[in-house]
């Protein structure tokens, strides 16, 4: 099982660009891109809370557990 | 870290690179000169041990003594080369990097090896020097001074600090993969 990041789906639903989200939550575009592609080991609660606040969603909308 | 402090560390390290380089050249020359003009080995061995050689040293004994000294010199030069590389790394501004952490760890290993070798060398040289003596006059000296103890503790401390820095570096790398 692995955790898949569905951030790109939420961004599309909210019609928001990655660049704007990165600026609003205070992380670099590069880090946000890594998060979107799932190339990170983890996400801090502070970052997750900031994304949820900006995109008006729940952590479950951004993360999904899938079976390999 | 303030830029001024970093520049000071770099400047000091650049100077120390030269100092260590000079020691690396002068140390073998000094040992060679001591061998060439320091008198016969029997003379300085008599002064260094409680019971020294009573007759001329044989070829095997001399080979063992010179071999032990050469080994000590090789380990000392290895440690100095590591120290030089560490100062070079600092001079390039890499203070908390992977390379400098590994070099500190390696320097600790060199120093531990050198201290243990120094303690063992004393016994080996004393045995080699008195091997040709008549029975009853051969001796095996074992010495462990407070300086050896301090040296071993300092080397161990350096080794552990290097190890901790390597671990800290890995934690930093892992944290970097968290967003």
């Amino acid at each position: 099982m692995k955790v898949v990041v569905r951030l790109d789906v939420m961004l599309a639903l909210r019609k928001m660009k990655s660049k704007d989200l990165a600026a609003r939550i205070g992380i670099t575009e590069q880090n946000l891109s890594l998060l979107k592609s799932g190339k990170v080991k983890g996400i801090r609660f502070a970052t997750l809370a900031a994304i949820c606040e900006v995109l008006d969603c729940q952590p479950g909308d951004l993360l999904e557990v899938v079976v390999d | 870290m303030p830029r001024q402090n970093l520049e000071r560390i770099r400047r000091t390290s650049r100077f120390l690179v030269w100092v260590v380089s000079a020691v690396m050249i002068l140390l073998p020359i000094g040992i060679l000169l001591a061998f060439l003009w320091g008198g016969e080995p029997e003379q300085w061995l008599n002064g260094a041990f409680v019971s020294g050689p009573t007759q001329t040293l044989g070829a095997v004994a001399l080979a063992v003594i010179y071999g032990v000294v050469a080994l000590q010199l090789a380990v000392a030069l290895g440690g100095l080369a590591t120290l030089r590389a560490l100062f070079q790394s600092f001079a390039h501004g890499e203070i908390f990097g992977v390379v400098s952490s590994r070099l500190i760890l390696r320097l600790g290993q060199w120093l531990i090896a050198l201290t243990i070798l120094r303690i063992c060398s004393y016994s080996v040289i004393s045995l080699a020097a008195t091997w040709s003596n008549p029975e009853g006059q051969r001796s095996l000296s074992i010495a462990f001074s407070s300086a050896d103890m301090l040296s071993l503790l300092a080397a161990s401390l350096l080794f552990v600090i290097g190890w901790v820095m390597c671990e800290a570096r890995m934690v930093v790398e892992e944290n970097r993969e968290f967003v």
Side-chain angles (χ1 to χ4, degrees), chain B residues 20 25 29 40 44 64 67-68 76 79 87 104 108 112 126 152 157-158 162 166 171 175 178:
Chain B
V20 177
I25 295 166
I29 294 172
E40 292 300 310
W44 47 264
V64 169
V68 167
F87 285 137
I104 291 172
I112 289 171
S126 75
L152 205 56
L157 177 69
L158 206 60
C166 283
V171 170
N175 274 341
F178 276 68

Side-chain angles (χ1 to χ4, degrees), chain B residues 12-92:
Chain B
T12 310
S13 299
R14 272 197 295 271
F15 169 70
L16 287 169
V17 167
W18 284 104
V19 172
V20 177
S21 301
V23 172
M24 284 178 77
I25 295 166
L26 294 175
L27 186 66
I29 294 172
I31 290 174
L32 198 67
L33 290 178
F35 272 125
L36 291 175
W37 285 291
E40 292 300 310
E42 290 85 357
Q43 285 177 319
W44 47 264
L45 283 171
N46 263 324
F49 299 99
V50 177
S51 62
T54 56
Q55 50 197 5
T56 312
L57 292 170
V60 177
L62 279 174
V64 169
I65 292 165
Y66 289 143
V68 167
V69 174
L71 188 64
Q72 271 188 311
L73 178 65
V75 174
L77 286 176
L80 284 169
T82 308
L83 186 63
R84 188 174 177 273
L86 179 66
F87 285 137
Q88 267 177 336
S89 174
F90 288 162
H92 289 132

Side-chain angles (χ1 to χ4, degrees), chain B:
Chain B
M1 181 190 289
R3 198 179 167 79
Q4 197 183 351
N5 288 357
L6 181 67
E7 193 47 48
R8 208 175 291 165
I9 291 169
R10 292 181 68 175
R11 208 171 36 239
T12 310
S13 299
R14 272 197 295 271
F15 169 70
L16 287 169
V17 167
W18 284 104
V19 172
V20 177
S21 301
V23 172
M24 284 178 77
I25 295 166
L26 294 175
L27 186 66
I29 294 172
I31 290 174
L32 198 67
L33 290 178
F35 272 125
L36 291 175
W37 285 291
E40 292 300 310
E42 290 85 357
Q43 285 177 319
W44 47 264
L45 283 171
N46 263 324
F49 299 99
V50 177
S51 62
T54 56
Q55 50 197 5
T56 312
L57 292 170
V60 177
L62 279 174
V64 169
I65 292 165
Y66 289 143
V68 167
V69 174
L71 188 64
Q72 271 188 311
L73 178 65
V75 174
L77 286 176
L80 284 169
T82 308
L83 186 63
R84 188 174 177 273
L86 179 66
F87 285 137
Q88 267 177 336
S89 174
F90 288 162
H92 289 132
E94 209 222 327
I95 293 167
F96 299 113
V98 185
V99 176
S100 52
S101 305
R102 284 192 188 142
L103 285 171
I104 291 172
L105 181 75
R106 210 177 300 160
L107 185 62
Q109 289 169 333
W110 278 115
L111 286 177
I112 289 171
L114 188 63
T115 310
I116 293 171
L117 189 64
R118 202 173 58 207
I119 294 163
C120 296
S121 298
Y122 189 81
S123 303
V124 173
I125 290 176
S126 75
L127 189 66
T130 57
W131 194 254
S132 312
N133 289 2
E135 253 183 71
Q137 289 181 36
R138 291 173 193 160
S139 70
L140 173 67
S141 306
I142 298 167
F144 189 75
S145 65
S146 56
D148 290 329
M149 187 69 199
L150 278 176
S151 176
L152 205 56
L153 285 174
S156 305
L157 177 69
L158 206 60
F159 174 71
V160 173
I161 287 174
W163 193 358
V164 167
M165 277 184 72
C166 283
E167 291 295 324
R169 189 71 210 172
M170 280 163 70
V171 170
V172 169
E173 291 296 326
E174 197 178 351
N175 274 341
R176 208 170 273 171
E177 290 183 44
F178 276 68
V179 290

Side-chain angles (χ1 to χ4, degrees), chain A residues 5-60:
Chain A
V5 181
R6 299 289 185 210
L7 183 59
D8 47 354
V9 177
M10 280 309 295
L11 280 169
L13 284 171
R14 299 289 186 260
K15 294 184 175 60
M16 186 182 278
K17 287 179 184 172
S18 298
K19 190 180 172 182
D20 298 329
L21 178 65
R24 287 185 66 179
I25 62 174
I27 66 169
T28 62
E29 276 185 74
Q30 190 189 5
N31 274 347
L32 192 68
S33 172
L34 289 170
L35 178 63
K36 274 168 64 183
S37 57
K39 289 176 184 168
V40 290
K41 274 195 176 173
I43 178 168
R44 292 190 185 92
F45 281 155
T47 311
L48 188 61
I51 294 172
C52 287
E53 191 185 341
V54 172
L55 296 178
D56 189 25
C57 64
Q58 291 296 313

